[in-house]
Amino acid sequence: MYIVPDQTGKYAVVTGANSGTGKEAVRRLAAAGAHVVMAVRTVAKGESARDEILARHPNAKLDVRRVDLADLASVEEFADGLIADGTPLDLLVNNAGVMAPPSRIETTDGFELQMGSNFLGPFALTVRLLPLLLAAGSPRVATMSSGTASFGRIDFADLQWKSRRYSSNGSYAQSKLADMIMTRELARIAAERGWNLLSTGAHPGFTRTNLQTAGASLGTGKRSLGTTLLTKMDFLPSQGVEPGTEPLLYAATSPDAVAAGYYGPGGRFGLVGPATTARMTRRALDASVNARLWAEAERLTGVALPAHAV
């Protein structure tokens, strides 16, 4: 079991904090002494999760704040609120996501839901929070990807799946590959500019959460065959939320984690087991593609590196 190092005095933000790996990450960060902002879309669910954590850890320092990553105005409002507080941010954990809605749905800003919620929203949040991150002593950004990123392709001609026949699993894989690319490109930018910022990534293997079922209930289409099979794959090794969160916690807190490092389960098929270094798909290693995707994300979100952080 991975033991989170002492986080006393650390200020952290965790997205998707009301359930699954997000809630477990909050619990263990807070138990280690961090003051954690639970960034959630539904405040009531966040408060319920906070109360559950406080029942186990009465001294935990937890705040619940609303952010909808599928709405860039909400991302801006959330970031502006933190910036107005002025507290340096030691850790941003980009955990929230949606998986495989059976039909194509658009975000408030007209993005395909998975690309918007899983990548463009977290991208905008990360860039908007850079001033607070760079004000901290040793800031980190840990971003959750997925093993399915290996099947993803960045289609610059149709990132939003408007021209192609919609594939819920293909879109999910593309969004998670984009998260992996963001991890690497942020690490490159940090090194280029001399920022003391560590950008890392992780994947949870096959961890049993509501991610596989919640997305499938959205929209009006039939659940894809791939999603249906995934929920019935009892023959594959799987694990609970506690071990499944450990790669993300390792990426976020381990003194041994490295820039652009990627971590996942080290057991059978990379689906279960203790956190270890994982291999990124080669599709995330093309520097020109990575820089192009970052530039495209800036264009789509209207959020660019702040002048005073360059």
Side-chain angles (χ1 to χ4, degrees):
M1 179 176 179
Y2 176 68
I3 305 299
V4 175
D6 182 26
Q7 299 293 298
T8 302
K10 302 286 188 181
Y11 190 50
V13 170
V14 179
T15 66
N18 62 276
S19 65
T21 55
K23 184 170 71 172
E24 179 65 11
V26 170
R27 184 185 73 79
R28 288 165 71 173
L29 288 169
H35 181 169
V36 186
V37 175
M38 302 175 66
V40 298
R41 187 178 62 182
T42 305
V43 171
K45 291 181 179 179
E47 291 174 340
S48 177
R50 178 194 60 193
D51 293 346
E52 184 179 327
I53 293 170
L54 285 171
R56 294 183 64 179
H57 307 284
N59 295 322
K61 299 177 181 178
L62 303 172
D63 299 331
V64 177
R65 297 200 186 194
R66 183 180 186 277
V67 65
D68 183 353
L69 294 169
D71 182 350
L72 292 178
S74 174
V75 172
E76 181 177 12
E77 182 180 8
F78 175 85
D80 284 351
L82 288 178
I83 290 170
D85 292 343
T87 304
L89 182 60
D90 299 284
L91 172 63
L92 170 61
V93 180
N94 289 315
N95 164 78
V98 62
M99 180 179 179
S103 58
R104 185 182 181 279
I105 305 171
E106 290 193 349
T107 69
T108 301
D109 305 284
F111 306 134
E112 186 275 324
L113 180 64
Q114 295 185 100
M115 198 62 176
S117 298
N118 297 350
F119 170 59
L120 292 171
F123 172 89
L125 179 64
T126 300
V127 175
R128 286 192 178 279
L129 290 179
L130 276 174
L132 286 184
L133 286 160
L134 297 177
S138 300
R140 293 190 182 213
V141 176
T143 300
M144 184 74 96
S145 182
S146 166
T148 62
S150 297
F151 303 101
R153 293 172 182 259
I154 302 299
D155 185 345
F156 287 104
D158 191 21
L159 285 175
Q160 311 303 332
W161 293 81
K162 289 184 176 181
S163 301
R164 294 170 285 172
R165 180 180 179 182
Y166 182 66
S167 165
S168 58
N169 294 314
S171 174
Y172 181 71
Q174 178 184 243
S175 72
K176 288 293 148 179
L177 174 58
D179 284 335
M180 191 180 286
I181 289 172
M182 179 174 74
T183 294
R184 289 190 59 85
E185 188 64 7
L186 180 58
R188 186 197 66 77
I189 290 169
E192 181 180 80
R193 288 161 171 74
W195 297 345
N196 186 30
L197 171 71
L198 190 67
S199 173
T200 59
H203 77 87
F206 193 173
T207 295
R208 298 184 298 274
T209 71
N210 66 349
L211 179 67
Q212 294 94 347
T213 55
S217 67
L218 299 173
T220 58
K222 290 180 63 177
R223 168 187 304 205
S224 72
L225 176 60
T227 303
T228 299
L229 290 174
L230 180 63
T231 60
K232 295 182 177 179
M233 283 183 175
D234 295 336
F235 59 90
L236 285 178
S238 64
Q239 60 189 0
V241 169
E242 289 191 12
T245 307
E246 295 196 348
L248 182 62
L249 287 167
Y250 186 96
T253 66
S254 173
D256 297 322
V258 299
Y262 186 54
Y263 306 97
R268 292 181 61 198
F269 309 121
L271 297 177
V272 297
T276 189
T277 300
R279 188 176 71 176
M280 284 191 173
T281 173
R282 64 182 181 180
R283 291 175 180 163
L285 306 182
D286 187 320
S288 61
V289 169
N290 295 1
R292 183 181 177 187
L293 182 63
W294 184 282
E296 183 65 3
E298 287 189 341
R299 185 188 73 81
L300 290 169
T301 63
V303 180
L305 295 172
H308 58 283
V310 174

